[in-house]
Amino acid sequence: MTWNESLPLLVLASSLVPGLIIFCLAEESKGLRTALNLVGVVLKLLLVAVMVWGVEQGQSYEVRFPLLPGIDFVLRADALSMFFALLSAVLWLATTIYAIGYLEDSPKRNRFFGFFSLCVTATLGVALAGNLVTFLLFYELLTLATYPLVVHRGTQVSLRAGRVYLAYTLTGGALLLAGIAWLHALAGNLEFTAQGFLSGLVQDHSAALVAIFVLLIAGLGAKAALVPLHGWLPQAMVAPAPVSALLHAVAVVKAGAFGIVRVVHDVYGFEVVAQLGVAGPLAAIAAVTIVYGSLRALFQTDIKRRLAFSTVSQVSYIVLGTAIAGPVATVGGVAHLVHQGLMKITLFFCAGNLAETLGIHRVEDLRGVGRRMPWTMAAFTLGALGMIGVPPMAGFFSKWFLASGGLDVGQPWVIAVLIASSLLNAAYFLPVIWTAWFRAPPETWPAERAPARGETSLMLLLPTVLVAASALGVGLLASMPFSPLQWVGLIVDVEYAP
Amino acid sequence: MTGASLDAWLLLLIPSAPLAVACALMLWPTRRALTLLAPWAALPALACALGLAPPLEIDLPWLLLGTQLGLDHTARIFLFFTAFLWLAAGVFATGYLQEGDGRARFFVFFLFAMAGNLGLIIAGDMLSFYASFAMMSFASYGLILHNRTAEAGRAGRIYIVMVVAGEVLLFAALILAAAAADSLLFADVPPALAEAPTRDVVLALAVAGFGIKLGVLGLHVWLPLAHPVAPTPASAVLSGAMIKAGLLGWLRLLPLGEGPALEGWGLLLMAVGLLAVFYAAFVGIAQRNPKTVLAYSSVSQMGLVTTAIGLGLAVPTRWPEISAIVLFLALHHALAKGALFLGVGMAASRFAAGRYRWLVAAGLVLPALALAGAPFTSGGLVKALLKPEAMALPAPWGAPLAALVSWTLVGTVLLMARFLYLAWPSGASAGAPSARASSGYSLAVPWATLIAALLLSAFTSGLAGAEAVWTWSAVLSGVATLALAAACTALAGWLLAKVDWHRIPLPASGDLVVPVERGLASLLRTSARALHDLRYRLSGGEAAAKSYLTTLRRLLAPAVSIEGGWAPACTMFLALLLLLAAISAT
């Protein structure tokens, strides 16, 4: 096995192995567990960085062995997979540090970090999967690895949320499987191919292809929280803050959105999607989700629930960009994978800091918290402004490209949807910012557990500030080489090559 | 990087100086030296405006989507008066705000707004303009809320709603403009826009989006509420400098002097502008707070600016002359309004009680006269030069417009009279917090400098035909008109003094916003009720989803009880795998 073949496996192993070891550790061996976690995430980041650099240089990384008769297990690095892989690796590093700080002194940390590592393994597998079956394997593994994290607290509420989560995602998985099986029977081939591999079948099997498309999108939409399949997401926010952060920023919902990008571009190809007439309905569902999620967010008083509905809305930007055939809109949509990830993880880290340090869970309890926790609230403000789409935050660039792309292909209604979303985002984020910075703080906080010095533990604060700074940085430096936008440009050039 | 000259690199200092000081102040809010340094962050901008020769250009391809900063003639003038006013107001603020007043917080917002305001002036592309515009708008929210009163809260709420509305309008306008020009550079947009099929849509969006900042009639409602509630030095920059960002946006984006005459748009803007001049004067004289009167005067003056822009759209051939007048009008208004706002602060300071009282009074009267357009002042110059341009309009519009432009003087005189009456240094208010300042110079020096610059500007404008304006007859007629207007005002004031003001339903500050607020409140109540009903009905759907879940749970019941559902999930996963294997084997 050559280096280029083993690299994708090493990327997966860098979290799988530490995860499995952690399961076997004693609960008290905190030092070893922490070391394993950190070595794993740093190693993974390095490996992924090497692969990103290699892909940019034109290297190909692929490993393949037969899984079932006629079906291979394929891990392959292309521009799109590395984009998602790098996002996962970076945010995992931040979240692992955060989680170590967050779960200090809480029970069952072995179980938590073990599944945590399995979860990242599955996400990287989703990113690197080279065909639909490999994708499905890791997609399901992700469901299973996330469940114990969602119910980690073990309370009634979290168990119920876990069951709802399973009901949605397993139903979704079954639909996805049905679609994949049908497609396998029809096309024989399931390898992801730039511009799709189904153009030869459109003539004879258009009805079947539409049905399969519906199955696949429904299966993936359950994780991507497309309305009306979004019900699990707001409930799952009972999970510990680092889990919510991951769920919303990179792992679960993003796996769904990433899958939709794959299906539209590398299975069907945008031209086939347009010919089948399914692009319009998909765009419509995305638009409805964008507006509906924001509307629901407006009426939430719990900070994390508000953020959860905001995720429902924001993740559909990716779907919208994918559904609007046209390179510019695709850039906006795919770049939003990273942009939304950075901004939303910031917001969830902040919510976690507030809950851990001051016991704040509700928007109204945020009064004057800006003075007590200025760094956290500064990070929150940046993230929220990004969600609204204020330049130079990352979110603005997603919106700019989505809107320009919509115009390019003669669909100016996209601008109206984005404006509606911006207004709604402003309506539910600005009052939070105003409450935190401009209202007088109360005498005492709901449940203060402040550290000796600083506004909160450094392990919580540092990742928060760093991801907030990145959300600003990828916007400010949007034209630098290796910025998300530039990288997406590379991907899209391949997809839309003549 | 392009081969930009060293001079062009200096442009980078303009926004980065205030940003750097702001960041330092956030890190060390208790350092007194940093608050004293804060106003001087505008100094690089002022130096660039005075010392650098346009045109300059520098490309920063790595920033945003490729940023271009540049200094052209328009930018230079804007940069001059904006930086000058920020510097003066900043120095004033160091004396005006005391330690306990949240001075560090004030200066952080002040500096961010300053960086945005200065940055948008040298922006050569739409995105850096938009980003700076947003930074300025959101940072000044903190200035408006600074005093934490209920009044400030209401003003802030209305302000931020208008800001967000403006942001999304501009977003749409810029997207469409960029698509029409296939470029983000301001140099490419207006010519392309003049021919584009989307021209009218972009024009409508831009006129409204920037019009919010500029206080165009109908969109001005936030302005008389927000400008006065901020601390006085912040009011000065809001009403003097930041308001002009809207004008600059128009100058950069609208197809002025390009392509065919847009008579429809021109007439619309002229009508709205002239209406604003008189309407704002009418509502303004009914106000009881001198700063609110000044804010209405800003709406009125920006009405004149709107009129001039409308004229430029209608008569593109005259745009070179009109644009020179508009730029000078902007400079004149910035200096005058800045001096007047700081004057309000002076009139409440210890200077107003002592032997300097008459100096303070003179310092209020002089800028008021300039604003009213007295002979030998900048305001008089603007009106004298604008009148002949109005005659360039095709008949029958030319003569009436010229006449209306002269009549705007009546509105301004009324407003200024009302202002002087309210702000007159009586000495009674010398116990106000700002009066205890030991640093009297930091109040008096910037104020006096502003007034001096305002008076000087009338003679150094460099406008074509400026020397020939003040003939004997023009001066005589100017003085006569002013005297007549003053006499009318005095008469009206005397008559009105006999009336019980409280029995007259005066327009409240914020005029149009009051019924809108009431309407919105009732709309919100209604929609909340409707939403409640809707949810009630939707819960039917929720019940269906719940029953589906219950069924699913019952089906899986034996397994669910084991470990919260994880085991069945694994089983199902294995089943799926087997199914997959079976399918693939066939």
Side-chain angles (χ1 to χ4, degrees):
Chain A
M1 190 172 268
T2 65
W3 169 246
N4 279 11
E5 277 182 341
S6 51
L7 206 49
L9 288 177
L10 284 177
V11 166
L12 293 194
S14 63
S15 53
L16 183 62
V17 174
L20 293 179
I21 299 177
I22 286 172
F23 276 124
C24 311
L25 290 179
E27 186 68 29
E28 304 81 56
S29 49
K30 182 181 171 191
L32 187 57
R33 185 176 54 231
T34 306
L36 272 171
N37 271 324
L38 290 179
V39 168
V41 290
V42 171
L43 195 62
K44 179 183 297 294
L45 188 56
L46 287 177
L47 290 171
V48 169
V50 167
M51 278 173 79
V52 167
W53 185 78
V55 167
E56 212 264 334
Q57 298 291 313
Q59 295 268 345
S60 73
Y61 300 94
E62 182 176 314
V63 58
R64 169 188 299 270
F65 36 85
L67 183 71
L68 298 164
I71 295 180
D72 287 347
F73 175 89
V74 187
L75 294 178
R76 188 190 311 121
D78 59 17
L80 181 59
S81 59
M82 289 329 292
F83 184 64
F84 191 42
L86 189 60
L87 170 75
S88 313
V90 169
L91 293 192
W92 227 281
L93 176 64
T95 314
T96 302
I97 297 173
Y98 189 86
I100 292 170
Y102 191 86
L103 290 173
E104 218 160 276
D105 309 324
S106 73
K108 302 210 170 130
R109 273 170 295 173
N110 276 347
R111 189 182 75 184
F112 182 87
F113 282 107
F115 280 112
F116 202 64
S117 300
L118 288 189
C119 195
V120 65
T121 311
T123 307
L124 264 292
V126 163
L128 294 172
N131 63 18
L132 271 174
V133 174
T134 320
F135 181 87
L136 177 71
L137 272 180
F138 286 112
Y139 190 77
E140 290 298 312
L141 186 65
L142 183 61
T143 306
L144 301 179
T146 323
Y147 172 79
L149 299 176
V150 172
V151 300
H152 181 72
R153 299 252 194 247
T155 58
Q156 278 301 317
V157 184
S158 63
L159 281 174
R160 200 176 63 228
R163 274 199 297 279
V164 173
Y165 170 66
L166 277 186
Y168 273 92
T169 48
L170 287 178
T171 315
L175 292 176
L176 189 59
L177 173 78
I180 291 174
W182 193 351
L183 196 62
H184 181 63
L186 207 60
N189 172 25
L190 292 173
E191 300 276 316
F192 293 137
T193 318
Q195 304 179 21
F197 52 82
L198 297 177
S199 49
L201 296 170
V202 181
Q203 283 274 305
D204 303 333
H205 300 282
S206 62
L209 285 182
V210 169
I212 294 171
F213 190 81
V214 171
L215 282 176
L216 294 179
I217 296 298
L220 296 163
K223 272 210 175 76
L226 287 181
V227 168
L229 307 173
H230 65 285
W232 63 273
L233 189 61
Q235 301 212 25
M237 63 88 204
V238 296
V243 176
S244 301
L246 273 186
L247 232 63
H248 286 259
V250 44
V252 178
V253 289
K254 283 302 171 56
F258 178 77
I260 292 176
V261 175
R262 275 286 194 217
V263 165
V264 170
H265 284 290
D266 295 341
V267 175
Y268 277 72
F270 70 95
E271 275 179 2
V272 175
V273 170
Q275 280 168 24
L276 293 175
V278 286
L282 183 58
I285 290 177
V288 168
T289 308
I290 288 173
V291 175
Y292 178 81
S294 296
L295 272 177
R296 288 298 303 273
L298 206 51
F299 296 98
Q300 307 305 321
T301 49
D302 185 288
I303 300 168
K304 280 178 82 180
R305 265 184 85 81
R306 191 174 284 200
L307 293 181
F309 275 109
S310 154
T311 305
V312 172
S313 163
Q314 291 275 337
V315 167
S316 272
Y317 278 34
I318 304 165
V319 183
L320 183 66
T322 313
I324 301 167
V328 182
T330 308
V331 168
V334 178
H336 204 55
L337 269 175
V338 166
H339 291 166
Q340 189 268 353
L342 288 171
M343 296 184 298
K344 190 44 68 72
I345 207 168
T346 305
L347 294 173
F348 268 105
F349 280 176
C350 293
N353 288 0
L354 294 167
E356 269 304 279
T357 318
L358 302 176
I360 292 175
H361 298 278
R362 300 166 63 78
V363 173
E364 64 190 33
D365 292 333
L366 283 169
R367 285 192 309 270
V369 81
R371 290 188 203 177
R372 175 67 181 72
M373 301 181 69
W375 286 95
T376 300
M377 283 323 291
F380 188 94
T381 306
L382 283 181
L385 288 177
M387 288 291 176
I388 299 168
V390 178
M393 296 301 300
F396 166 75
F397 293 90
S398 312
K399 284 194 178 155
W400 180 268
F401 277 85
L402 281 172
S404 313
L407 265 188
D408 271 3
V409 295
Q411 305 201 25
W413 59 269
V414 175
I415 300 182
V417 171
L418 292 175
I419 284 185
S421 167
S422 279
L423 289 176
L424 288 169
N425 269 278
Y428 64 78
F429 274 128
L430 288 179
V432 177
I433 297 177
W434 173 74
T435 309
W437 289 109
F438 293 106
R439 293 188 68 181
E443 299 280 308
T444 57
W445 302 101
E448 189 161 352
R449 262 173 306 186
R453 56 194 294 273
E455 62 180 63
T456 185
S457 139
L458 208 58
M459 296 279 273
L460 299 184
L461 195 56
L462 202 62
T464 311
V465 171
L466 285 182
V467 287
S470 321
L472 175 63
V474 297
L476 264 184
L477 306 177
S479 299
M480 289 282 249
F482 287 100
S483 82
L485 264 180
Q486 295 303 309
W487 190 256
V488 174
L490 280 182
I491 301 170
V492 170
D493 284 349
V494 177
E495 295 295 340
Y496 286 87
Chain B
M1 214 61 64
T2 53
S5 65
L6 185 66
D7 285 358
W9 280 98
L10 290 176
L11 294 179
L12 280 179
L13 278 178
I14 293 173
S16 44
L19 281 181
V21 181
C23 291
L25 202 54
M26 281 199 289
L27 289 173
W28 300 286
T30 49
R31 295 280 166 86
R32 190 173 152 70
L34 277 176
T35 50
L36 290 179
L37 179 68
W40 300 98
L43 197 60
L46 190 58
C48 283
L50 294 173
L52 297 183
L56 288 177
E57 229 172 67
I58 180 167
D59 284 304
L60 307 168
W62 46 270
L63 191 66
L64 302 175
L65 297 179
T67 294
Q68 187 182 73
L69 300 182
L71 190 72
D72 59 1
H73 181 65
T74 306
R76 193 179 177 196
I77 293 176
F78 266 81
L79 199 58
F80 167 71
F81 71 72
T82 307
F84 189 46
L85 188 53
W86 276 99
L87 179 58
V91 174
F92 192 89
T94 56
Y96 184 82
L97 290 165
Q98 307 301 308
E99 291 292 352
D101 303 343
R103 192 158 63 171
R105 184 159 42 85
F106 175 85
F107 272 116
V108 168
F109 287 121
F110 189 84
L111 286 164
F112 274 118
M114 180 201 284
N117 195 358
L118 296 174
L120 67 89
I121 291 171
I122 55 169
D125 67 289
M126 294 195 280
L127 283 198
S128 52
F129 183 94
Y130 187 51
S132 309
F133 196 82
M135 178 154 74
M136 178 185 86
S137 299
F138 282 104
S140 35
Y141 183 51
L143 297 177
I144 290 164
L145 289 182
H146 183 80
N147 285 334
R148 308 290 161 101
T149 54
E151 209 186 348
R154 170 168 175 249
R157 230 175 359 259
I158 292 168
Y159 171 75
I160 202 73
V161 167
M162 295 302 271
V163 163
V164 172
E167 288 283 311
V168 295
L169 287 174
L170 288 182
F171 178 78
L174 296 184
I175 282 274
L176 288 166
D182 196 22
S183 162
L184 291 175
L185 297 182
F186 279 129
D188 305 331
V189 170
L193 205 55
E195 325 262 282
T198 49
R199 185 191 67 199
D200 289 334
V201 183
V202 177
L203 240 63
L205 290 167
V207 163
F210 288 122
I212 288 177
K213 184 64 59 188
L214 197 66
V216 167
L217 191 67
L219 305 171
H220 70 285
V221 290
W222 64 274
L223 196 147
L225 294 170
H227 286 188
V229 295
T232 295
S235 306
V237 282
L238 273 164
S239 220
M242 290 194 247
I243 196 170
K244 309 290 189 318
L247 170 62
L248 187 64
W250 281 358
L251 295 178
R252 295 290 192 216
L253 205 63
L254 300 187
L256 289 156
E258 309 266 357
L262 302 172
E263 273 162 8
W265 279 106
L267 288 177
L268 177 70
L269 283 187
M270 284 187 271
V272 172
L274 284 171
L275 200 59
V277 171
F278 296 106
Y279 176 79
F282 165 71
V283 182
I285 50 171
Q287 305 306 318
R288 297 194 173 88
N289 177 350
K291 285 166 82 179
T292 312
V293 176
L294 288 182
Y296 273 106
S297 149
S298 286
V299 175
S300 169
Q301 292 288 311
M302 291 305 112
L304 199 58
V305 169
T306 313
T307 310
I309 296 287
L311 191 58
L313 282 173
V315 199
T317 48
R318 299 296 296 168
W319 176 243
E321 290 78 11
I322 298 170
S323 90
I325 299 170
V326 168
L327 287 176
F328 185 68
L329 175 55
L331 176 132
H332 145 76
H333 178 255
L335 297 176
K337 199 46 62 73
L340 285 172
F341 264 111
L342 296 191
V344 176
M346 289 300 287
S349 75
R350 68 189 165 91
F351 292 104
R355 59 205 159 110
Y356 298 113
R357 186 176 161 200
W358 290 104
L359 271 180
V360 171
L364 287 174
V365 172
L366 283 174
L369 276 176
L371 211 58
F376 300 112
T377 66
S378 43
L381 190 59
V382 166
K383 278 182 191 151
L385 290 173
L386 196 57
K387 250 187 293 183
E389 298 301 334
M391 298 305 284
L393 264 184
W397 303 105
L401 180 66
L404 281 170
V405 167
S406 357
W407 290 347
T408 58
L409 178 127
V410 179
T412 318
V413 169
L414 280 171
L415 273 176
M416 286 302 110
R418 176 71 177 155
F419 166 73
L420 289 173
Y421 171 76
L422 289 170
W424 200 253
S426 58
S429 54
S434 53
R436 62 174 192 258
S438 55
S439 48
Y441 285 116
S442 61
L443 297 182
V445 171
W447 184 54
T449 319
L450 269 181
I451 296 172
L454 174 70
L455 298 181
L456 261 179
S457 70
F459 304 100
T460 54
S461 68
L463 289 173
E467 326 71 52
V469 163
W470 302 121
T471 56
W472 278 106
S473 63
V475 172
L476 273 181
S477 82
V479 170
T481 328
L482 206 61
L484 192 65
C488 290
T489 311
L491 185 66
W494 180 76
L495 281 176
L496 283 172
K498 306 255 169 208
V499 182
D500 184 3
W501 278 88
H502 293 279
R503 294 184 54 189
I504 305 175
L506 294 173
S509 145
D511 53 290
L512 298 175
V513 85
V514 179
V516 173
E517 267 182 316
R518 279 191 205 129
L520 263 183
S522 78
L523 186 73
L524 272 179
R525 269 197 306 276
T526 324
S527 56
R529 215 174 301 137
L531 263 175
H532 188 263
D533 291 351
L534 189 68
R535 285 199 59 157
Y536 189 70
R537 272 184 225 135
L538 277 183
S539 58
E542 267 176 41
K546 264 187 200 133
S547 79
Y548 162 72
L549 282 179
T550 325
T551 322
L552 199 72
R553 213 177 297 149
R554 208 172 45 234
L555 280 173
L556 300 170
V560 167
S561 58
I562 302 171
E563 204 190 309
W566 195 50
C570 289
T571 327
M572 244 177 102
F573 179 56
L574 284 176
L576 287 179
L577 275 185
L578 285 176
L579 198 64
L580 192 68
I583 292 164
S584 65
T586 52

